[in-house]
Structure formats: structure tokens, C-alpha cells
Amino acid sequence: MDDFKRDGSHLASCPPVEKWDDWVEYDPQAWPKRVTRHYQLIPTICFNCESACGLLAYIDKETGKVAKFEGNPKHPASRGRLCAKGPATINQIHDPDRILYPMKRTGPRGGGQWTRVSWDEVLETFGARIRKAFQEGRGEEVMYHVGRPGHDFIMDRTLQAWGIDGHNSHTNVCSSSARLGYMLWHYADRPSPDHANARFILLLSAHLESGHYFNPHAQRIIDGKMAGAKLAVMDPRLSNTASMADYWMPTYPGTEAAVLLAMAMVILKENRFNAEFVKRWTNWEDLEMDGFKAKGQSFEAVIAALKRHYAGFTPEFAERESGIKSDVIVKIAREIADAGTRFASHLWRGSASGNLGGWQSARALTLLHVLTGSVGTKGGHNLNAWNKFVPRPFAVPPPQKRWNELLYPLEWPLCNHEMSFLLPHFLKENRGRIAAYFTRVFNPVWTYPDGFSWIEMLRDEEKVGLHAALTPTWSETALFADYVLPMGFSSERHDLMSQETHSGRWIGFRQPVLRVLQERHGERFDFTYQANPGEVWEEDEFWINLSWAIDPDGSMGIRQWFESPYRAGKKITVDEYYGWIFENSVPGLPDAAKKEGLTPLQYMRKYGAFEVATDVYKLNETPLSTADLAGSKIEPNGLLTKEGKAVGLMVDGRAVVGYNTPSRKLEIFSKTMADWKWPEFTLPEYYRSHIHRSAQTVSMGKAEEDFDRLHMPVVHWPKDAHGDVYTLLPIFRLPNLIHTRSGNAKSLYEISHKNPLWVNPDDAGKLGNVRTGDLLKVHTEIGFFVLHAWVTEGLTPGVVACSHHLGRWRVNKDEQVERLSSAWVDLKEVGKGQWKMRQIGGVEPYQSPDPDTKRVWWSEAGVHQNLTFPVHPDPVSGMHCWHQMVRVERARPDDRYGDIFVDTNLSFAVYQRWKALARPAPGPGGLRRPLWIPRVVRPEETAYYVKG
Ligand code: SF4
């Protein structure tokens, strides 16, 4: 405060580290009086999306409470900046409706009646149940199902220490389709674009405003733009990102790969591709297509064959498919060619997650990088594994010997992640049961499609024996749990995080700031919950203690993995777990700490993040070490193998690691696809999605047509579904909300609390001059939902859209619910599998310790559209294809805002129709799945073979 200068030269965007122990500010509440307050600033990591930005907790020295969160300037990815959701952490930790103690249900599942229990009871109950399952050889009946992990490796380690194949995740409703497309090229299933150094940036969907790695990427996209890069956005919706772009391409949904391949064809035809790169780094010699075989042919002959293969992808064809003008397609293709090795892009959800075959969008997009030679380059497309840093802990258990077919069933051998959204249908088909089920920061009843099938599964105690919801907030899924276990928000737990945000490599350390503060003042805690509000646990301690409860005497071989590396036979503490990692597994950290006279753990507690490397490019050119080369041999095609497995390749006379694919090159030709029964998809291709305009025609009963090679299922409408057919885009994000985690954050819900149906004015006219605010009824294949219209030109005609971040609901009016973000509903099963929901009340002011809850002025909580969606598993990637055809009509007199009806008998029938598209394992050699492609928590190799 003493440095105040009238010219403002004392101002800084973030407090400097040397002032973090005693940061002084005026109290904004006391203004205009100038009352100073003293804060201790302690870093942690945001948990409100996957980006893992650095937070600084401002702890008021007088009250001992966190007063606010701002950005940590020492964090290499977020650099002191946050989006709206980061500072809103303060709303979450002070939320008057949050869960503070472990709760056990007292009535029937879903009845909403709870009583407080002790953590000891929780650990004993689950420890005994799991021990029995393991002793009886029923390990696959124990399942951990995660929404947002928020940590790296610790759960994989825990499940492998238990010896089970029990990791389930949300990824197949999120990103697995794009991941498959990327993985087929280079093994890495995510890109790491170097936006800051790019000359041209192409985004499929809204990454600048709300996409994956949102704030760190958004900063660097703007850095790139400030340095002269052009930005193009392909998105049917005029997102905030599209509004900032140089080019907006509102493609008809599902046609993106046609546009990308037309751009690739422009670059090929005009001979503007990087021939040297393509020749050196792709497996062009393996190409086989249209009767042409590359073996023994010249590179030039192969390029000519490729041009013939893609000749149909003219700009005019792409215009007919997508609606984007052919001259725009050509112009952008030429600008991408001009950018050359400085072309960056990103695709995560959007077209990949919405469409049957959406994974081809990622493949077609990567083809543009390969043609421009912008893979691994400054300003180009890097691989996530190059930039994400996951250090190893003190001991790593061996991989499990089992394969759980509830996670990776035979029908989808190439699925990128677990087929988690089909679990209720698998259990309905009697493929197994679950003895102990953990849902963790995860709300499948609300987040997944077909939520009523989840309710039917969760309320059935024969199918799901014991269910614990590990969650910081009440949720629609917690309602159907046996135990609700409160877990900490970002400032109440330990985690290690790293993401591929830019061309560097870093780790961030999430930590419980009140515990850290009090320990700095000499207090000691056995457990973090002793310093947290109520009895909010942190998960690391939960899993350590549960593992000891499962194997109290160590006889099952589990406990050993949770014993201290420093104190033989004693239970490991979180300080020891992370301290060991920082001392031994993070290059450069011990030296950096030593320079400041700190231990590595103290360093991370002080700064909250560490930069491991900068300027990481072209790691495919890393030379093989002498140890790697020992015992290897060079195959005729230059591949280096060891014991039959590829370990690298020879490039220009040098032995390098290459990419982690079977050819160790970028695979323009995927033999894997041919070997696993998809010979038509060995190259990047475009085929028409299930919501293509031609499919709409058929769904209206106007024409019969064979939809390409996949023979996609024709929609069967419920008999009372009326109105014209539109394509629904249901998966765009509102920038300030994230699924359930942002629930009850008052400042976020004050900004966003409506999810109306976006309707183009042309369509509004066709629907009978619909105006903004009118009620519309949207019919899906399994039911309907009723919501308000928002008439806007920011959307392609023929398409309607609704954000998936609203529509929270509660069955209790006031108790054990989130009142700031949910509607109070009447939920009824009116016939077998027939569910009706009607809103009784919306959001309204209420009395609580937070005076702001009396000032709530909004009343809507949105409409829960996902409940009315059937499952659509892509036959190749396994991804749920979110886009769908719907019929839209004006609401009828007896329809009310928020009404929902669903028939789960119909949803099971849709599941069967989509399942029939799959081409099941076994593949070559009796494999369940190709050995080379990644799998979450990978079992040992013997488990990959179908027995018998
Ligand atoms: S982008 Fe926003 S929500 Fe995500 S980690 Fe960063 S601050 Fe938190």
C-alpha cells in the first residue's frame, strides 16, 4: 500500500511472490472507507475444468478464511490469468448447500432421505464388501467411475494395486472419437497445438471461448493473433470464438471431413504440399487403395494415386455437402499452405463427438498437418504426450491380469475408452453385476444420454450392490447412492496435474490451502479433513485408508503399495507420496528447490507449479539410446525391432524413436483398420453422418436410400412425435459453466441460467412464426422435452441447438439439494420404463448463512435435454454420437416449460439398432483389441486374448 503512485506505475497484474506472505489490500466491502486487510497467498490448482490453471488463495489473516481466488503468475500455462470459473471457486467452498459430512441413505434409493455417518463406518463397510469380492474372485464387480479425474496416475495405481480392471470413465461421451482419429495417425490421442507461434489457426468448434484447455489455449490463440496469425472457425453455431475469427465456416453438422479433405485436395492438386516431410515421415510405402499398391512404386506414383483417390473432394462437392462456399474453401486451403509448418489446429468435441464417423474429422484435419509438414514444429501440431508430464511415484504395481468386459466389450474392439454410457444396457443384458460402485465427481444420471436408464440401473440393488458417490456437491446421481461422501474442491485436496497447453512441459500441485497455512504456523494434521470445512475428505487419503481397510494385515498384497517409502510398514502420508515424487521424478525440481534453501515439496507448496521444459518440438527425432539399440535389428523397411516389437526407425542414417505406431511413422494408411474389419477406412475418409440431410429425408418417410457404407439405422419415431425434422446440436458449452461442478456457484448461475433452443429465423417462420420465448416441444426417438425458443441468425438453417450445461433438477425441495442451480421437480414412473418429469418450482430466494441467497433474482434452471436422448455408440470409436434428428413443434396447451417424457423401452431398442453396426472382436490372433493402441489402465498382454 505504501508504493501507491498517482501515475499507476506501482500497479501489477498479480502480487509478486516476495509479498505472498503478507499481501495488503483495501477491503472492498468497507469502501469508501480505506480499511486494509492482510492476506497470506497460497497457490493451488483450479478444478473447474480440465485445464488445471493456477489459483492463488487469498487467506484473510484475521479471520483465517479464504477471501477470494485469483490467478497464480508462477503457473507456466495460465500465467496468472483465469476464466470466470476459476475465481468462482470461492462460491463453491462457501456454498451453503454443499455436503460437509458423509451421508448414508435411510429410505429407498432415490428417496432423498439421509443421515450422517462416520468415516470409519464408510471405510469398514466398503473395505469388507470389496475384500469379500476379491477373496471370491469377483474383482470385476468393483468399479470406479470417474467424471473429471483432476489428477494424474494415482487412481490407475490404486486400481492396479487392487489387481482389478475396474477403471471406468466418462470419455466416450466426451472426446473419444477425436482421440481415435488422432491416435490412428500417431498413437497420441490428443493434439498439442502451438497456437502462440502459428501463422494460421483452424478451430473446429469453439476452443477460444470454451473448448478443451480453454484459458491456456485462449491466451495463446490471442498471442498468435496479436503476432499476425489468421483464425478460422468451423462451427455451425456463431460462437463467441467464431465472432472473433477471420473466417467463420458454419458447416452443416457432420460434413466437416468433406471440407477438410477438399482443402487437402487443393493443396495436393496445386502441389503445395511438403513432399520432403510426407516422404520421410509417413508410411506412404504401405498404401493400398482402389486396386493400387504402393509397394515397389515411386513416391511420385503414390502421390498421383492419392490425387486420384481424393479427386471427388472438389470444393464444389464440399460446398454441396457443407454449405460453405467453394471459393472460401479454396482460399483457406491456400492460406493453410502458406502457413506451412506454422499451421495449428484443434478439434475435440463438436463434429467428432456429434456424428457417426466423427473420428474421421480428426483424421482429415491431421492430413492437412501432414501435407503442410506442420507436425512437431514450432507453430504447428504437436503431440499431447510430448507436453504433458506425468511423474512416477515411488512404486508402481504390476498391470492387472484381468479384462473387464463391462468396460471393453468385444463389440467395439477399437473403442478409444470404456463403453461407459452403455453400462445400464449391459446390465440389462445380464452381462454382469456390480458389488461396489464408486461414482467420483461424476453425475451420469444428468451428464449421460438416456439418464432414466441410469436411474433404473442405480435403484436396482441386484444390479448395483453398494454405491458411493464421491462428490463435493449434491447431484442427480448422488440421489441414487447408498453413501454420499464429501470430497474437497480445488483448495481442499492434493493432486498433481499437467496438461498439453503449449510447447512446454509442466506440473501443477493442487493443495489444501487451509492445512498448508496452519502447518506453516506449526500445527500438525493426520488428515486433511481436520483442516477442511466439516469432514470434507481428500481422495488421496480416502483411497489409502480404504486400501488398508480392504487388506488390514497385508496378506492380500494390497497394503504394501500404500506403505511409506520412508517408514517401513507404516501407512503412507500425502506429504510422503508427493514429497518422494518431487525429490525423485521431476527433473530440475530438486536443484531449483535447493537454490532457495527449500525441499522439493516445500518449493511446490510455495509456488504451486514447476516448468519442466520449454520449446518442446520434434520429439519423434529423438535419437535412440545405446540401451534401446542393444539387441535391436533393422528390418528391410528401416524399422528397428527388438523381440518382434518396433522400438524406432532409421531416418537418414540415424536411429530415432519416431512415432509410437506400428510403422513408427505417421500412418496415412492404417493396416489396423483393415485387420479389424474396416477395410473401407484404411485412409482418412468422409462418409455421411447419421444426421446428414439425406437421412433427414428418409426419417420423414419421403424416400428410401442406402446411407453409404455403414447402413446407419433409420430413426423410428414414437407414435405421438409430430413436427418437422431438424438436426439438434446438444453439446455446446456455455463458457462459464461446466457440467455438475459449477453447480451452485452463485456468480456463475447469475450469469447463465437458461438453455433455450436456438432456432434460425427461417425455421422460426416455418414453425409458425415462432418468436423468442415461445414454448417448443422437441421430440427425440425416445421421448420429448419442452423449452423456450431463442430465434437467432447465429445458426445454420435446418439445425437447432441447446447447451448441455443447464437443466439441473432436484426431488427434495430444500434438504440435500442445490437450490441455486436446480429446478424442483415431480419425477414419476407412470408405466414400466415410462418416466415423466414436471417442474414444480424453479430457483427462488432462500434463507441461508449467505445473505446473497435471499437476493436471487433468477427463476429458471434450464431444461434437462440429455434425459431424452437415446444412446448412439459409434461402431468404430465407441463414442456416443450426440447430434440427432429431432422433430420440433409448438408446445401444446397441456405442455409446460421443463416437461420431459421418456420411454426406456424405446431407448433399449435404439441401443440394439446401433449395436448391430459394430464389427466385433476377436481380431487377428484372437485379440480383443490391437496391442499397439492405448487402453486406460492397461492390463498385462495375456488379458488381451479372448479365451477359448
Ligand atoms: S480454464 Fe477456467 S475453469 Fe478451467 S482451469 Fe482455467 S480457470 Fe479453471
Side-chain angles (χ1 to χ4, degrees):
M1 308 297 293
D2 299 337
D3 335 327
F4 179 83
K5 296 189 183 65
R6 292 216 163 269
D7 65 0
S9 58
H10 62 293
L11 293 173
S13 55
C14 301
V17 178
E18 56 277 12
K19 295 192 176 177
W20 285 8
D21 279 342
D22 187 28
W23 177 248
V24 187
E25 277 184 5
Y26 290 131
D27 182 348
Q29 306 279 354
W31 189 260
K33 283 193 197 146
R34 295 189 175 192
V35 177
T36 54
R37 300 206 74 91
H38 291 252
Y39 299 98
Q40 177 97 35
L41 310 190
I42 298 184
T44 186
I45 299 290
C46 182
F47 193 28
N48 281 339
C49 85
E50 63 287 348
S51 304
C53 297
L55 296 179
L56 270 185
Y58 285 57
I59 304 173
D60 189 313
K61 288 185 162 182
E62 197 179 313
T63 64
K65 291 196 167 149
V66 183
K68 63 175 177 176
F69 292 93
E70 293 197 356
N72 175 4
K74 302 306 281 183
H75 189 290
S78 55
R79 305 183 290 194
R81 301 171 223 170
L82 303 170
C83 79
K85 299 184 290 290
T89 303
I90 195 71
N91 297 162
Q92 296 169 309
I93 65 170
H94 296 322
D95 170 16
D97 288 344
R98 70 175 293 190
I99 311 163
L100 291 174
Y101 300 95
M103 309 293 277
K104 179 184 177 180
R105 77 177 160 91
T106 54
R109 274 196 193 153
Q113 294 156 302
W114 304 91
T115 188
R116 184 177 157 184
V117 291
S118 71
W119 279 105
D120 283 346
E121 177 186 326
V122 171
L123 292 170
E124 278 161 25
T125 305
F126 279 87
R129 181 73 66 108
I130 294 171
R131 180 167 58 249
K132 188 163 188 292
F134 290 175
Q135 285 169 338
E136 293 173 0
R138 294 182 288 110
E140 65 284 354
E141 291 187 10
V142 177
M143 187 180 287
Y144 164 83
H145 201 155
V146 63
R148 170 55 43 208
H151 54 219
D152 284 325
F153 195 65
I154 194 162
M155 270 320 294
D156 302 17
R157 182 182 185 277
T158 298
L159 294 167
Q160 291 196 311
W162 293 3
I164 62 166
D165 197 25
H167 183 283
N168 212 344
S169 71
H170 76 287
T171 307
N172 258 338
V173 299
C174 171
S175 56
S176 57
S177 203
R179 288 172 186 257
L180 178 74
Y182 286 119
M183 190 274 298
L184 287 171
W185 270 106
H186 46 45
Y187 181 82
D189 68 357
R190 281 163 283 166
S192 179
D194 186 17
H195 292 308
N197 295 302
R199 296 262 185 274
F200 195 92
I201 300 170
L202 173 59
L203 304 176
L204 274 77
S205 76
H207 290 270
L208 175 58
E209 107 205 17
S210 57
H212 217 60
Y213 313 140
F214 157 36
N215 162 43
H217 271 187
Q219 298 181 19
R220 289 168 175 88
I221 291 168
I222 296 298
D223 287 350
K225 267 181 78 76
M226 302 273 281
K230 287 265 190 76
L231 173 64
V233 172
M234 210 182 272
D235 192 333
R237 207 174 53 87
L238 182 65
S239 60
N240 294 352
T241 307
S243 72
M244 299 284 288
D246 298 285
Y247 302 101
W248 173 39
M249 288 179 279
T251 37
Y252 186 79
T255 63
E256 293 81 359
V259 176
L260 296 165
L261 290 177
M263 289 178 180
M265 196 52 203
V266 170
I267 294 170
L268 273 170
K269 215 166 144 188
E270 297 182 356
N271 288 323
R272 302 198 57 197
F273 61 98
N274 188 331
E276 194 185 319
F277 181 86
V278 175
K279 194 170 180 182
R280 179 176 290 137
W281 281 112
T282 70
N283 68 337
W284 61 272
E285 287 158 301
D286 298 333
L287 268 168
E288 289 182 14
M289 60 202 158
D290 318 320
F292 172 89
K293 287 194 176 179
K295 277 266 168 312
Q297 304 266 8
S298 67
F299 178 69
E300 290 70 26
V302 172
I303 293 296
L306 269 179
K307 287 179 182 172
R308 285 196 298 277
H309 181 76
Y310 288 119
F313 289 98
T314 61
E316 293 72 27
F317 169 77
E319 177 177 336
R320 281 197 301 280
E321 289 295 290
S322 68
I324 306 301
K325 295 276 177 230
S326 57
D327 56 342
V328 173
I329 294 171
V330 173
K331 187 169 170 25
I332 293 177
R334 288 178 179 153
E335 292 201 34
I336 288 171
D338 288 344
T341 60
R342 292 200 166 196
F343 164 52
S345 75
H346 208 299
L347 163 62
W348 198 238
R349 298 193 179 103
S351 81
S353 302
N355 295 291
L356 180 73
W359 51 280
Q360 290 281 19
S361 304
R363 245 179 141 197
L365 180 60
T366 311
L367 178 61
L368 287 175
H369 287 289
V370 171
L371 291 176
T372 49
S374 55
V375 183
T377 52
K378 187 166 187 168
H381 163 105
N382 289 282
L383 277 54
N384 68 313
W386 295 357
N387 296 135
K388 183 178 167 84
F389 180 71
V390 183
R392 294 272 126 177
F394 67 98
V396 178
Q400 70 276 20
K401 294 183 170 58
R402 319 173 74 106
W403 188 284
N404 189 340
E405 291 196 4
L406 288 177
L407 307 175
Y408 288 90
L410 294 175
E411 287 94 333
W412 293 273
L414 302 178
C415 64
N416 187 270
H417 272 67
E418 306 93 341
M419 298 302 297
S420 59
F421 62 103
L422 302 182
L423 189 60
H425 297 297
F426 293 161
L427 296 193
K428 206 177 246 186
E429 291 176 321
N430 293 318
R431 297 188 189 210
R433 74 179 293 276
I434 300 173
Y437 186 48
F438 298 96
T439 50
R440 188 255 157 174
V441 192
F442 184 45
N443 188 6
V445 169
W446 187 75
T447 315
Y448 274 14
D450 199 9
F452 285 120
S453 289
W454 278 85
I455 290 176
E456 289 174 3
M457 178 191 95
L458 290 173
R459 70 177 184 178
D460 184 342
E461 293 181 42
E462 285 299 308
K463 291 197 169 19
V464 179
L466 195 57
H467 172 200
L470 282 72
T471 172
T473 54
W474 286 103
S475 74
E476 290 77 355
T477 300
L479 177 67
F480 293 93
D482 301 304
Y483 288 86
V484 175
L485 308 180
M487 295 291 152
F489 288 110
S490 355
S491 56
E492 299 166 346
R493 48 185 292 138
H494 289 93
D495 293 301
L496 267 186
M497 284 294 299
S498 177
Q499 297 293 12
E500 58 277 14
T501 51
H502 61 289
S503 60
R505 208 182 284 153
W506 55 271
I507 51 166
F509 191 33
R510 189 173 289 130
Q511 56 182 348
V513 297
L514 294 179
R515 178 175 178 172
V516 172
L517 175 81
Q518 290 171 66
E519 289 190 337
R520 278 188 195 171
H521 293 292
E523 289 200 44
R524 284 288 161 261
F525 298 96
D526 294 326
F527 298 104
T528 296
Y529 80 85
Q530 294 161 336
N532 274 347
E535 286 184 6
V536 170
W537 266 46
E538 68 162 293
E539 283 167 64
D540 292 352
E541 289 176 346
F542 176 71
W543 298 116
I544 292 167
N545 282 281
L546 180 57
S547 300
W548 276 63
I550 295 168
D551 183 16
D553 59 5
S555 60
M556 297 170 76
I558 291 172
R559 210 185 83 171
Q560 59 174 317
W561 304 107
F562 304 93
E563 291 174 0
S564 165
Y566 303 100
R567 299 171 297 123
K570 303 285 182 208
K571 196 182 284 181
I572 190 169
T573 66
V574 278
D575 273 14
E576 289 173 334
Y577 182 82
Y578 292 106
W580 192 96
I581 289 175
F582 297 147
E583 284 163 23
N584 298 283
S585 299
V586 184
L589 175 55
D591 288 342
K594 201 170 163 194
K595 274 191 201 137
E596 299 204 16
L598 300 171
T599 66
L601 179 63
Q602 286 169 336
Y603 183 98
M604 290 303 286
R605 291 217 183 281
K606 178 175 177 183
Y607 292 104
F610 182 72
E611 189 161 56
V612 180
T614 55
D615 296 320
V616 180
Y617 300 109
K618 294 191 178 178
L619 292 196
N620 53 309
E621 296 182 10
T622 307
L624 280 176
S625 65
T626 316
D628 290 334
L629 281 170
S632 67
K633 65 172 185 174
I634 305 176
E635 306 290 341
N637 60 0
L639 198 63
L640 286 157
T641 60
K642 212 161 151 178
E643 293 162 9
K645 297 209 165 111
V647 293
L649 79 166
M650 298 301 295
V651 174
D652 301 331
R654 289 184 311 129
V656 296
V657 293
Y659 298 91
N660 217 357
T661 55
S663 65
R664 288 273 152 174
K665 292 187 175 175
L666 296 164
E667 298 214 331
I668 188 168
F669 176 81
S670 174
K671 186 167 178 304
T672 301
M673 294 306 286
D675 289 347
W676 288 79
K677 308 175 189 172
W678 296 99
E680 62 269 55
F681 297 140
T682 49
L683 271 73
E685 300 288 356
Y686 163 68
Y687 61 89
R688 291 172 170 174
S689 159
H690 65 299
I691 45 100
H692 188 267
R693 287 181 206 272
S694 59
Q696 284 196 6
T697 313
V698 173
S699 78
M700 292 290 285
K702 289 182 184 159
E704 276 301 327
E705 193 178 321
D706 177 24
F707 304 143
D708 292 41
R709 289 160 285 195
L710 281 181
H711 309 293
M712 66 185 68
V714 174
V715 172
H716 294 214
W717 296 107
K719 60 180 180 331
D720 53 355
H722 300 287
D724 283 342
V725 174
Y726 291 88
T727 289
L728 173 66
L729 307 189
I731 47 167
F732 68 89
R733 273 184 180 177
L734 295 174
N736 53 324
L737 293 179
I738 292 280
H739 304 298
T740 313
R741 288 195 303 296
S742 50
N744 253 35
K746 62 188 177 188
S747 56
L748 299 180
Y749 273 82
E750 183 169 23
I751 300 168
S752 298
H753 42 263
K754 296 181 183 191
N755 62 341
L757 192 72
W758 294 37
V759 183
N760 182 278
D762 292 353
D763 297 327
K766 288 183 200 155
L767 285 163
N769 293 324
V770 163
R771 304 169 86 157
T772 293
D774 289 355
L775 271 189
L776 293 174
K777 188 169 190 173
V778 180
H779 298 271
T780 68
E781 268 188 286
I782 64 170
F784 65 77
F785 60 103
V786 178
L787 76 175
H788 294 127
W790 184 48
V791 180
T792 171
E793 290 184 346
L795 190 72
T796 312
V799 177
V800 292
C802 181
S803 162
H804 65 159
H805 283 132
L806 283 156
R808 302 289 312 281
W809 49 267
R810 63 188 198 263
V811 296
N812 289 1
K813 185 170 188 296
D814 297 316
E815 302 289 320
Q816 283 93 35
V817 289
E818 294 191 322
R819 286 171 283 184
L820 287 169
S821 53
S822 62
W824 177 34
V825 300
D826 180 26
L827 174 64
K828 282 199 183 87
E829 190 176 13
V830 292
K832 190 163 168 29
Q834 296 186 321
W835 292 86
K836 236 180 178 166
M837 181 184 283
R838 172 156 279 185
Q839 297 194 359
I840 306 169
V843 179
E844 52 188 33
Y846 60 97
Q847 193 72 44
S848 83
D850 178 356
D852 278 349
T853 60
K854 282 296 279 178
R855 301 182 187 120
V856 167
W857 55 267
W858 64 95
S859 56
E860 277 190 51
V863 177
H864 186 194
Q865 55 173 344
N866 290 11
L867 278 175
T868 69
F869 299 167
V871 294
H872 292 159
D874 183 280
V876 183
S877 70
M879 172 87 208
H880 171 62
C881 307
W882 280 98
H883 295 350
Q884 61 201 290
M885 281 181 281
V886 292
R887 300 184 86 138
V888 183
E889 62 171 336
R890 272 190 179 276
R892 299 180 205 172
D894 53 346
D895 292 327
R896 296 230 304 257
Y897 171 79
D899 276 0
I900 282 169
F901 175 78
V902 169
D903 184 342
T904 57
N905 302 298
L906 297 180
S907 71
F908 189 67
V910 178
Y911 157 68
Q912 298 283 3
R913 290 201 287 276
W914 278 72
K915 185 176 67 170
L917 303 176
R919 300 180 189 172
L927 282 166
R928 297 172 182 277
R929 178 180 178 83
L931 284 167
W932 76 272
I933 67 174
R935 219 214 80 164
V936 182
V937 195
R938 189 182 172 93
E940 67 173 35
E941 198 169 311
T942 54
Y944 274 70
Y945 293 88
V946 180
K947 302 279 183 306

